[in-house]
């Protein structure tokens, strides 16, 4: 038992070190795209929390396993190990503690999801239609119809999504959120762009031959520029 | 000896004949109705159904039952064929569960190789951005094909382990229903042939999940794919029924449920899922098949003609996803529970220590199987179903992590304080734990909806499920192959080659899965023939190349293993009856195992895993003369 205590102390130190290393590796490999919407804040925060949990649990199991394999390797003898069938208390602990952890995560997920999907009183609505293999955007206010998406910065947006043929999916990696477009119904997705720039909308639901090429340009522009662009569109429509 | 003494040759002829007859039948009916005689889709569909029946008739799997209908009695033949070489029994209908187990396993490995080859082809395409040599449609067919072939291969591997090991582990003479057992295997052969054939009549381009409306419009290949899956599903259902009855009714005196070898618990949980969930994928694919063939628009909101019409349509594409995932989520546990059972089975042997928390591990399999039925919605977080539904599915999914965690901690408890030996099977068990750990830990981040929104349908999911499948099936399956190879053949494989295989494949897999997750987070979608090279600040191509190289390394390792087995099956060093000093019943009898495995009924006199307890036994065989 005394030797067990020493093992646990060494293992704990190793777990701390290993957690930091795994976190660093994951942080280096899992390169998130730029965050261009307000919603990316909470989503990336929860993502990061998960990565810490993954790093810790990976270290916990990995260190104990490797440590046991080294310390308890058979040193050429044919004997058997200790005759232990289990430990009820330990089993209960490692059943109950994870329960709290997952419920905690589910609870964060729930409150965050409610925030993400909540309607804003002054949201700007744009319709998008997915079709094999391009996108079409309609601006209800002006009646403009365009193949590229132009959005004003710092304005809550609701995209109303439809499809006339098969399933597609509205996804701009920099916006994080995504949503299928389903023939026969209108789905929606909400976000608030907060970074001016040019992004690519990438269809994220297999939709046939040219699924990989089903892209559209998304421009997030300043509110003044958006007004200008909108009046240009209206002018074009009236011609 | 003519080729047609082999059942499989007769079966293949029967399959071709069945196909032709089915097509002619379709033409005849159409002529009677006054329609144009030839229509490709109905002809291939009816032909495929008939081809499955044709195969089963040809191979002779239905012979006994057909004779019974005419009042002819047929004894259960047990033993090698009388007037043919002994090896021919592996290519014909045979009722011995050990032969059927080997048939399942070998057919599974063959499919693993076909599926792996397909993967290496499109992985080579993905090594660089831009389209090099695959066309878009062929690429789309290949990814679905790879996925479904691998699922077939896994189901066959699972069937192989279950059929070979369960009767031996509980000391049963054979499975409860030997004829049904043979039928269960033979369904797989015409099923996988239809699946492979589908590639040559247009393929199918909606991935293994085959979501309509896309799958309701694509090439005819879909029909063959759906019917192939249907055949495999029938195999799962009869096979699992057989295993459940065997486990419940054929245990020897003294073997209570909690004294079964732990692998039997895993098979029990798996079979429960297979028996009750498989119908759902059969139904969902059959409904698309019918929608295509005769226009019943189950999943079509507008009608298959693409115009609003009162005569067609009126369906819902999202309904398909519910039906599909109600099977296909539990299915992922069909793939992994037996493998996790192998891990629990082998750890005590190579750690020379009792399994830590036997009951907890046994019941965690049941818990996973049961909770697995109420989490399917996590595949549909962005499908457009009712928003509120996402929350209960999020909670339920996260709960699955708990019994999974119990397994990991109990495995650590088993190793801790043992005397660990590092033979090849044990290395693969440890590899399995490390890889399944990666797979399991990347589950919760997909289960909380806000983080799933960016990750869904990205390559991250591809990384997640390859880690779960390799950790939960491939590594344990390889461990099982190395471990029971001496039991099946009586010979030892080459230990050094086995270790080389392990040390190539394990790090390669880590790179592969990490790379897949990495490019997914960078913004690469799954199922795309070509990707944007600027993703991940331009680093994506390096990772793609690394994943491709890792894939080839894994393929090389697998070939090394097969060569190792091939080399040593006939001429390897004799292994002895119990090279691993296991307490399990199958190791107490000669290798290779005689036709009738146990000379007399088993009697259970102790606990299965009492390593380290002097003079304790698990089973004894009382020979008939003793009492
Ligand atoms: C800790 C337990 C696990 C959790 C919480 C979990 C969670 C999830 C979630 C939420 C998804 C959906 C991701 C998406 O499409 O956005 C997913 C996908 C998947 N998981 Fe798991 N998973 C777990 C373990 C497993 C295991 C043991 C397997 C067994 C092989 C598995 C196989 C799969 C597969 C095949 C998919 C992708 C299916 C597809 O869309 O093609 N997962 N997992
Ligand atoms: Cu698409
Ligand atoms: Cu699932």
């Amino acid at each position: 038992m005394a030797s067990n205590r020493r093992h646990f102390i060494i293992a704990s130190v190793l777990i701390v070190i290993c957690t930091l290393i795994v976190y660093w590796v994951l942080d280096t490999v899992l390169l998130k795209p730029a965050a261009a919407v307000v919603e990316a804040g909470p989503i990336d925060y929860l993502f990061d929390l998960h990565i810490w949990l993954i790093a810790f649990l990976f270290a916990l199991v990995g260190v104990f396993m490797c440590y046991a394999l080294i310390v308890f390797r058979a040193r050429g003898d044919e004997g058997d190990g200790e005759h232990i069938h289990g430990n009820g208390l330990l089993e209960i602990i490692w059943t109950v503690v994870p329960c709290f952890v997952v419920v905690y995560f589910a609870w964060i997920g729930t409150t965050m999801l409610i925030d993400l999907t909540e309607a804003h009183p002054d949201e700007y609505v744009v319709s998008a239609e997915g079709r094999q293999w391009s996108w079409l955007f309609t601006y209800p206010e002006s009646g403009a119809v365009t193949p590229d998406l132009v959005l004003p910065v710092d304005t809550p947006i609701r995209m109303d999504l439809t499809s006339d043929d098969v399933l597609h999916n509205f996804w701009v990696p920099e916006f994080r959120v995504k949503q299928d477009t389903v023939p026969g119904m209108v789905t929606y997705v909400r976000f608030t762009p907060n970074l001016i720039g040019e992004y690519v909308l990438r269809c994220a639901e297999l939709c046939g031959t040219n699924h990989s090429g089903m892209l559209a340009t998304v421009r997030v522009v300043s509110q003044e520029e958006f007004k200008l662009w909108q009046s240009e569109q209206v002018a074009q429509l009236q011609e | 000896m003519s080729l047609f003494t082999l059942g499989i040759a007769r079966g293949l002829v029967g399959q071709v004949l069945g196909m032709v007859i089915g097509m002619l039948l379709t033409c005849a009916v159409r002529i009677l109705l006054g329609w144009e005689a030839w229509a490709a889709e109905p002809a291939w569909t009816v032909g495929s159904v008939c081809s499955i029946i044709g195969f089963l008739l040809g191979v002779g799997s239905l012979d006994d039952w057909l004779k019974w209908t005419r009042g002819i009695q047929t004894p259960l033949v047990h033993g090698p064929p009388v007037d043919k070489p002994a090896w021919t029994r592996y290519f014909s209908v045979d009722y011995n569960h050990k032969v059927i187990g080997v048939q399942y396993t070998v057919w599974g490995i063959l499919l693993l190789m076909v599926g792996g080859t397909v993967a290496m082809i499109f992985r080579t395409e993905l090594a660089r951005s831009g389209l090099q040599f695959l066309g878009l449609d062929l690429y789309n067919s290949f990814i679905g094909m790879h996925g479904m072939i691998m699922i077939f291969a896994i189901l066959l591997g699972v069937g192989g382990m279950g059929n070979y090991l369960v009767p031996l582990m509980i000391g049963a003479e054979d499975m409860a229903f030997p004829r049904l057992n043979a039928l269960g295997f033979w369904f797989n052969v015409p099923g996988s042939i239809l699946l492979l054939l589908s590639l040559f009549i247009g393929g199918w381009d909606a991935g293994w999940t085959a979501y309509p409306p896309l799958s309701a419009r694509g090439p005819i290949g879909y029909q063959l794919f759906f019917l192939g899956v249907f055949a495999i599903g029938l195999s799962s259902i009869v096979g699992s029924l057989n295993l459940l009855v065997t486990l419940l009714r054929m245990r020897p005196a003294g073997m209570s449920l909690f004294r079964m070898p732990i692998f039997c618990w895993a098979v029990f949980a798996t079979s429960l899922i297979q028996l009750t969930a498989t119908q759902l994928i059969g139904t969902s694919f059959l409904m698309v098949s019918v929608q295509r063939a005769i226009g019943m628009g189950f999943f079509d909101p507008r009608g298959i003609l693409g115009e609003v019409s009162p005569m067609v349509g009126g369906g819902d594409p999202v309904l398909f996803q519910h039906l599909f995932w109600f099977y296909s989520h539990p299915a992922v546990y069909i793939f992994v529970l037996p493998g996790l059972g192998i891990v629990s089975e082998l750890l005590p042997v190579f750690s020379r220590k009792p399994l830590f928390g036997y009951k907890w591990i046994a019941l965690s399999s049941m818990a996973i199987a049961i909770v697995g039925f109420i989490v399917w919605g996590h595949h549909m977080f962005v499908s457009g179903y009712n928003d509120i539904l996402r929350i209960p599915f999020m909670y339920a999914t996260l709960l699955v992590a708990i019994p999974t965690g119990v397994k990991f901690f109990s495995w650590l408890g088993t190793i801790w304080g043992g005397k660990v030996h590092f033979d090849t099977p044990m290395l693969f068990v440890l590899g399995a734990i490390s890889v399944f750990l990666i797979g399991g830990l990347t589950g919760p981040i997909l289960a909380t909806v806000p983080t799933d929104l960016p990750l869904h349908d990205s390559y991250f999911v591809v990384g997640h499920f390859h880690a779960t499948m390799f950790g939960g099936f491939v590594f344990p399956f390889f461990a099982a192959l190395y471990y029971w190879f001496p039991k099946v053949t009586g010979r030892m494989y080459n230990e050094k080659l086995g270790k080389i295989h392990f040390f190539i494949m394990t790090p390669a897999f880590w790179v592969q899965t990490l790379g897949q997750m990495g490019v997914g987070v960078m913004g690469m979608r799954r199922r795309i023939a070509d990707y944007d090279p600027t993703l991940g600040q331009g680093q994506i191509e390096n990772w793609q190349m690394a994943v491709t190289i890792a894939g080839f390394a894994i393929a090389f390792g697998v070939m090394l293993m097969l060569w190792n087995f091939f080399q040593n099956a006939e001429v390897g060093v004799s292994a002895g009856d119990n090279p691993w000093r296991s307490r399990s019943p199958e190791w107490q009898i000669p290798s290779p195992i005689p036709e009738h495995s146990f000379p007399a009924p088993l009697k259970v006199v102790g606990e299965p895993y009492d390593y380290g307890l002097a003079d304790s036994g698990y089973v004894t065989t009382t020979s008939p003369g003793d009492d």
Side-chain angles (χ1 to χ4, degrees):
Chain A
M1 277 300 108
S3 81
N4 254 358
R5 176 168 313 147
R6 209 194 44 174
H7 288 321
F8 282 122
I9 292 170
I10 300 174
S12 308
V13 175
L14 289 174
I15 288 169
V16 173
I17 298 170
C18 193
T19 304
L20 295 173
I21 295 174
V22 175
Y23 179 84
W24 176 79
V25 169
L26 291 179
D27 202 44
T28 318
V29 175
L30 305 178
L31 289 172
K32 289 194 280 289
V37 292
V38 176
E39 288 72 10
I43 290 178
D44 289 355
Y45 162 79
L46 183 58
F47 190 96
D48 205 48
L49 214 58
H50 271 292
I51 298 296
W52 275 113
L53 182 73
I54 291 173
F56 169 69
L57 289 174
F58 189 84
L60 181 72
V61 176
V63 165
F64 266 109
M65 184 167 110
C66 294
Y67 191 81
L69 292 179
I70 294 167
V71 174
F72 301 110
R73 68 188 185 280
R75 293 178 178 81
D77 65 309
E78 296 287 277
D80 284 345
E82 292 173 66
H83 182 253
I84 303 172
H85 272 283
N87 181 328
L89 183 66
L90 271 180
E91 299 277 1
I92 290 170
I93 291 174
W94 62 50
T95 308
V96 173
V97 173
C99 272
F100 286 106
V101 177
V102 297
V103 169
Y104 176 64
F105 271 83
W107 181 74
I108 302 181
T110 307
T111 50
M112 196 178 281
L113 182 66
I114 291 169
D115 280 351
L116 292 179
T117 48
E118 209 171 31
H120 296 273
D122 52 349
E123 63 195 9
Y124 186 80
V125 180
V126 184
S127 308
E129 186 188 320
R131 42 172 61 193
Q132 285 174 323
W133 294 277
S134 62
W135 294 91
L136 212 58
F137 304 98
T138 313
Y139 294 76
E141 239 170 66
S142 59
V145 178
T146 62
D148 296 334
L149 182 60
V150 181
L151 295 171
V153 75
D154 295 329
T155 311
I157 306 286
R158 187 182 90 213
M159 301 291 306
D160 284 346
L161 307 170
T162 56
S163 159
D164 201 33
D165 40 44
V166 299
L167 304 174
H168 302 280
N169 185 303
F170 179 97
W171 187 38
V172 181
E174 288 81 359
F175 294 180
R176 301 295 185 269
V177 292
K178 64 163 74 72
Q179 175 62 48
D180 279 1
T181 73
V182 184
M185 64 194 266
V186 182
T187 52
Y188 71 94
V189 60
R190 291 195 167 93
F191 50 84
T192 308
N194 63 355
L195 188 66
I196 291 176
E198 198 172 298
Y199 313 102
V200 182
L201 163 58
R202 304 168 192 272
C203 171
E205 180 65 58
L206 181 52
C207 57
T209 309
N210 198 21
H211 165 56
S212 56
M214 187 168 160
L215 311 170
T217 310
V218 180
R219 276 196 303 133
V220 175
V221 297
S222 69
Q223 300 193 349
E224 298 76 56
E225 198 180 335
F226 183 74
K227 286 212 183 77
L228 211 65
W229 177 85
Q230 210 172 16
S231 45
E232 271 170 28
Q233 296 293 317
V234 174
Q236 266 179 22
L237 273 179
Q238 279 158 356
E239 269 163 28
Chain B
M1 195 196 78
S2 105
L3 186 62
F4 291 105
T5 55
L6 296 184
I8 192 166
R10 291 194 309 269
L12 291 175
V13 172
Q15 181 156 21
V16 173
L17 283 180
M19 184 68 88
V20 173
I21 292 171
M23 286 179 165
L24 290 177
L25 211 65
T26 318
C27 294
V29 171
R30 291 181 65 92
I31 290 171
L32 284 180
L33 289 172
W35 297 345
E36 198 185 334
W38 176 255
E41 178 134 358
W44 278 99
T45 310
V46 179
S48 301
V49 175
C50 296
S51 82
I52 297 172
I53 302 170
F55 183 95
L56 294 177
L57 286 172
V59 77
S61 186
L62 305 174
D63 281 4
D64 278 1
W65 290 313
L66 290 177
K67 284 184 186 146
W68 294 358
T69 62
R70 286 181 280 137
I72 304 169
Q73 305 243 328
T74 54
L76 185 70
V77 186
H78 222 293
V82 272
D83 46 0
K84 301 179 221 170
W87 58 266
T88 58
R89 67 192 302 197
Y90 289 95
F91 295 87
S92 304
V93 174
D94 193 285
Y95 295 144
N96 188 321
H97 76 96
K98 295 188 284 291
V99 173
I100 296 175
V102 171
Q103 288 173 328
Y104 263 107
T105 308
V106 171
W107 195 255
I109 292 174
L110 281 176
L111 287 181
L112 213 59
M113 287 164 68
V114 178
T117 309
V118 174
M120 292 333 297
I121 295 173
F122 67 71
R123 228 16 274 185
T124 310
E125 171 64 56
L126 285 175
R128 279 282 162 265
S129 67
L131 276 182
Q132 278 84 25
F133 60 93
L134 280 183
L136 290 171
D137 280 322
L138 193 59
Y139 181 91
N140 289 348
S141 284
F142 270 8
I143 49 150
M145 200 56 124
H146 163 67
M148 215 26 141
I149 294 176
M150 285 314 200
I151 289 171
F152 281 24
I154 294 177
L155 289 173
L156 279 149
V158 165
M161 294 190 288
N163 277 292
Y164 193 89
L165 295 175
V166 164
L168 291 177
M169 285 183 166
I170 63 173
E173 167 71 355
D174 204 308
M175 296 282 281
F177 309 116
R179 292 182 182 85
L180 199 62
N181 201 18
L183 179 68
F185 167 69
W186 288 107
F187 267 130
N188 289 295
V189 180
S192 29
I193 288 172
L194 282 184
L195 180 69
L196 295 177
L197 193 62
S198 70
L199 193 57
F200 299 96
I201 57 163
W204 38 280
D205 54 0
W208 79 277
T209 53
Y211 284 180
L214 186 58
S215 62
R217 340 179 131 205
I220 308 173
Y222 275 106
Q223 293 286 10
L224 273 68
F225 155 62
F226 291 147
L227 290 164
V229 172
F230 207 78
I232 305 282
L234 286 170
S235 162
S236 284
I237 293 171
V238 299
S240 56
L241 179 77
N242 212 342
L243 281 163
L244 283 176
V245 177
T246 308
L247 281 166
L248 288 176
R249 303 285 299 147
M250 298 179 70
R251 277 171 291 121
M255 190 185 279
S256 62
L257 286 177
F258 284 116
R259 276 189 174 183
M260 296 194 294
I262 194 77
F263 177 70
C264 295
W265 270 100
V267 172
F268 189 81
T270 307
S271 301
L272 272 183
I273 308 175
Q274 279 189 298
L275 184 62
T276 49
T278 310
Q279 292 79 352
L280 273 287
I281 193 174
T283 307
S284 57
F285 280 0
L286 200 62
M287 286 163 88
V288 185
S289 174
V290 170
Q291 174 170 337
R292 295 174 58 104
I294 56 175
M296 292 186 88
F298 295 114
F299 306 123
D300 197 315
R302 297 162 307 124
I304 49 166
L305 301 178
E307 63 201 29
V308 184
S309 149
M311 298 297 291
V312 282
D316 176 3
V318 179
L319 173 63
F320 173 88
Q321 300 176 29
H322 284 293
L323 295 174
F324 178 84
W325 287 112
F326 190 85
Y327 164 77
S328 294
H329 178 80
V332 304
Y333 295 113
I334 298 174
F335 307 155
V336 301
L337 283 177
L340 305 183
I342 296 284
V343 172
S344 306
E345 186 67 44
L346 265 53
L347 272 181
V349 178
F350 290 97
S351 308
R352 314 304 307 160
K353 198 168 156 280
L355 183 60
F356 193 91
Y358 176 107
K359 282 189 183 168
W360 290 82
I361 292 189
L363 293 178
S364 72
S365 294
M366 296 303 285
I368 290 176
I370 291 163
V371 181
F373 271 103
I374 52 165
V375 304
W376 79 90
H378 65 220
H379 297 276
M380 301 170 58
F381 284 145
V382 302
S383 68
Y385 68 8
N386 191 327
D387 265 358
I388 301 293
L389 281 178
R390 305 200 238 191
I391 292 166
F393 279 125
M394 167 158 56
Y395 276 90
T397 302
L398 283 164
L399 285 183
V400 183
I402 292 161
T404 316
V406 168
K407 281 194 196 292
F408 277 105
F409 294 128
S410 302
W411 291 335
L412 291 181
T414 307
I415 305 175
W416 194 267
K419 286 220 157 68
V420 185
H421 294 258
F422 295 96
D423 302 283
T424 306
M426 178 64 164
L427 289 179
F428 275 92
V429 165
L430 298 172
I433 298 178
S434 77
V435 169
F436 193 67
L437 184 63
I438 301 175
L441 289 179
T442 48
I445 200 168
L446 296 170
T448 50
V449 181
T451 43
D452 184 55
L453 295 177
L455 296 177
H456 172 75
D457 264 345
S458 79
Y459 240 75
F460 187 90
V461 176
V462 176
H464 158 71
F465 70 73
H466 277 85
T468 54
M469 306 257 198
F470 266 74
F473 174 77
V474 177
F475 277 82
F477 181 57
F478 289 177
L481 290 178
Y482 281 109
Y483 182 76
W484 278 286
F485 179 81
K487 187 47 54 183
V488 178
T489 62
R491 312 272 171 184
M492 205 38 145
Y493 59 85
N494 181 322
E495 184 67 34
K496 193 183 267 170
L497 278 183
K499 290 206 162 111
I500 295 176
H501 170 199
F502 174 80
F503 283 108
I504 291 176
M505 180 163 148
T506 311
F509 185 79
W510 292 337
V511 171
Q512 177 187 314
T513 194
L514 197 66
Q516 287 173 328
M517 291 177 197
V519 299
V521 174
M522 289 172 192
M524 179 174 164
R525 301 158 286 158
R526 64 188 287 201
R527 297 170 164 163
I528 52 174
D530 189 18
Y531 51 90
D532 182 348
T534 62
L535 290 177
Q537 296 142 23
Q539 284 192 31
I540 188 168
E541 276 195 307
N542 302 342
W543 276 107
Q544 294 286 3
M545 184 54 96
V547 172
T548 300
I549 293 171
F552 276 102
I554 294 169
F556 175 74
V558 176
M559 310 251 265
L560 214 55
M561 174 182 77
L562 296 178
W563 192 74
N564 192 352
F565 290 159
F566 201 69
Q567 274 284 304
N568 292 300
E570 292 277 312
V571 297
V573 225
S574 177
D577 291 348
N578 191 359
W580 314 119
R581 298 185 293 136
S582 163
R583 294 164 56 94
S584 194
E586 80 273 20
W587 294 101
Q588 317 310 321
I589 52 180
S591 314
I593 304 174
E595 184 67 32
H596 294 276
S597 316
F598 297 93
L602 282 191
K603 222 162 127 183
V604 173
V605 295
E607 297 291 328
Y609 300 107
D610 263 342
Y611 295 98
L613 186 65
D615 302 324
S616 67
Y618 176 33
V619 290
T620 58
T621 45
T622 39
S623 60
D626 286 358
D627 44 34

